[in-house]
């Protein structure tokens, strides 16, 4: 049965990795798209946020469905829809409007991958759930980083449509991975097939009266404000730095470093998840947000750093900005009834995605008005708001 649980984790993580190749491929070639379409900072942020809006609209229904039916089929369907929409972006997008429509459609598809996969993994693990969730979420970081590297390299040597097309095609393999490797959901308590029929009552809104749940969702929202803001804008910021602007191919160099930053986030995810199994989750979350928030407050003023120093700061940033992610999602699964985990994760993702929509636009507007130094302050402040909410979790409620 242990092997079955790990097969489920491998299947879910593999499908997520392939689907994640299209999540940030737009961001990876953002400098090229800005030049091609003549986008302002706000326009560029709007195209990115359209993906988050699509994700937002479907994530709760997908979470409900994953409580009722085998998540493998939801994941396979979502990955296929996301891949086809992203391929459409590569072929047909020609400006802010068409680009936003197609990115919106890709976000709708991804809503059927991430949360159902998280539900699928959490159902299969109990005592070491933090580690399992860290591996799952860490896979997303590693694959996103690989997407940055691949898309920016292909874009710099060919064109941004080719880069987005190549990374989107990989997502078409996700259905085969989840259906061939994964097995029907199992219960973390006894190893039996999960009783999906018992979970067909929909979302129980009583979870919204659970203060620990609400505070944890608030922490996750603050995390996403910082995370999605930096992941969308980091390539453009790096291309503007003295060290990278002076290279022979700034766009490719910025994409490579942004990809490395995103990929090392897998280290932060796995480390944070495993550490939270050993200590307690609020402490790990607060520590991660404090360090990442400090980097966010300062990095915008470091455009003068030499390349080696800038690389070091960015890689550290990539690790610490994800340390809190897996512990936060794991804590969500522990403060609600087992039969409502999918719905709880879906509401978490819904509320947490709202900052992911707003943050890139506010960041872009701040860049247009005042530059990157002040724009990064908007991310650092959000991280420290998250520290405040998780401190409330620790101080007002017993840590399980």
């Amino acid at each position: 049965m242990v092997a079955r649980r790990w097969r489920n984790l491998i299947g879910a993580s593999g499908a997520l990795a392939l689907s994640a190749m299209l999540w940030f491929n737009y961001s990876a070639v953002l400098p090229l798209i800005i030049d091609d379409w003549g986008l302002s900072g706000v326009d560029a942020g709007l195209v990115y946020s359209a993906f988050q809006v699509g994700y937002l609209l479907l994530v709760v229904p997908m979470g409900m469905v994953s409580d009722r039916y085998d998540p493998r089929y939801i994941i396979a369907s979502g990955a296929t829809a996301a891949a086809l929409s992203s391929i459409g972006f590569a072929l047909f997008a020609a400006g802010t409007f068409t680009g936003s429509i197609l990115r919106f459609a890709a976000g709708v598809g991804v809503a059927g991958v991430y949360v159902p996969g998280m539900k699928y993994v959490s159902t299969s693990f109990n005592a070491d759930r933090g580690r399992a969730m860290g591996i799952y979420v860490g896979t997303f970081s590693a694959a996103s980083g690989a997407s940055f590297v691949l898309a920016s390299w292909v874009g710099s040597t060919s064109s941004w449509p080719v880069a987005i097309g190549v990374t989107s095609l990989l997502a078409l393999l996700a259905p085969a991975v989840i259906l061939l490797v994964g097995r029907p959901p199992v219960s973390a308590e006894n190893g039996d097939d999960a009783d999906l029929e018992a979970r067909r009552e929909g979302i129980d809104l009583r979870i919204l009266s659970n203060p620990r749940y609400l505070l944890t969702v608030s922490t996750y929202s603050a995390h996403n404000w910082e995370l999605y803001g930096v992941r969308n804008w980091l390539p453009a910021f790096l291309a503007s730095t003295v060290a990278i602007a002076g290279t022979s191919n700034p766009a490719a160099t910025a994409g490579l470093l942004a990809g490395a930053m995103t990929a090392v986030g897998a280290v932060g995810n796995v480390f944070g998840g495993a550490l939270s199994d050993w200590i307690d989750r609020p402490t790990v979350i607060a520590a991660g947000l404090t360090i990442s928030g400090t980097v966010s407050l300062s990095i915008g003023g470091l455009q003068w750093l030499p390349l080696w120093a800038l690389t070091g700061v960015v890689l550290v940033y990539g690790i610490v900005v994800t340390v809190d992610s897996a512990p936060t999602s794991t804590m969500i699964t522990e403060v609600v009834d087992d039969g409502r985990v999918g719905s709880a994760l879906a509401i978490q993702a819904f509320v947490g995605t709202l900052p992911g929509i707003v943050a890139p636009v506010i960041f872009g507007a701040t860049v247009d008005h005042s530059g990157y130094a002040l724009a990064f302050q908007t991310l650092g402040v959000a991280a420290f708001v998250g520290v405040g909410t998780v401190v409330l979790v620790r101080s007002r409620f017993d840590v399980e």
Side-chain angles (χ1 to χ4, degrees), residues 254-265:
L256 176 62
L257 185 52
M261 182 267 197
T262 305
V264 297

Side-chain angles (χ1 to χ4, degrees), residues 209-278:
S209 65
N210 180 339
R212 274 192 82 189
Y213 174 72
L214 295 178
L215 285 170
T216 307
V217 169
S218 298
T219 302
Y220 181 75
S221 300
H223 159 78
N224 268 357
W225 185 293
E226 182 183 35
L227 181 70
Y228 286 108
V230 68
R231 283 188 173 171
N232 182 67
W233 279 101
L234 187 64
F237 164 71
L238 291 174
S240 73
T241 62
V242 173
I244 292 180
T247 63
S248 59
N249 194 332
T253 305
L256 176 62
L257 185 52
M261 182 267 197
T262 305
V264 297
V267 176
N269 279 305
V270 176
F271 174 74
L275 188 63
S276 73
D277 282 338
W278 181 46

Side-chain angles (χ1 to χ4, degrees), residues 251-326:
T253 305
L256 176 62
L257 185 52
M261 182 267 197
T262 305
V264 297
V267 176
N269 279 305
V270 176
F271 174 74
L275 188 63
S276 73
D277 282 338
W278 181 46
I279 309 177
D280 64 80
R281 310 208 197 281
T283 298
V284 175
I285 294 166
L289 284 169
T290 298
I291 300 172
S292 67
T294 301
V295 178
S296 290
L297 290 174
S298 58
I299 193 172
L302 302 179
Q303 290 174 294
W304 52 269
L305 286 178
L307 185 57
W308 65 268
L310 182 65
T311 299
V313 170
V314 168
L315 293 180
V316 169
Y317 196 13
I319 294 173
V320 298
V321 80
T322 60
V323 165
D324 62 295
S325 183

Side-chain angles (χ1 to χ4, degrees), residues 123-206:
T123 300
S124 299
F125 289 84
N126 190 21
D128 51 356
R129 184 178 292 177
R131 180 179 60 168
M133 294 284 274
I135 292 171
Y136 177 77
V137 179
T139 299
F140 171 71
S141 294
S144 298
S147 174
F148 266 107
V149 174
L150 178 60
S152 60
W153 177 75
V154 174
S156 65
T157 57
S158 181
S159 66
W160 68 259
V162 173
I164 288 183
V166 168
T167 49
S168 301
L169 284 169
L170 293 173
L172 286 176
L173 301 175
V177 171
I178 187 62
L179 295 177
L180 294 177
V181 177
R183 291 293 179 264
V186 294
S187 168
E189 296 295 334
N190 54 33
D192 296 333
D193 287 356
D195 184 4
L196 297 170
E197 293 293 331
R199 301 190 179 108
R200 297 196 175 190
E201 301 174 6
I203 286 181
D204 184 351
L205 294 180
R206 286 175 296 180

Side-chain angles (χ1 to χ4, degrees), residues 56-71:
L56 175 73
L57 291 180
L58 265 292
V59 70
V60 171
M62 290 300 100
M64 292 175 62
V65 172
S66 70
D67 271 340
R68 302 177 182 187
Y69 304 105
D70 190 335

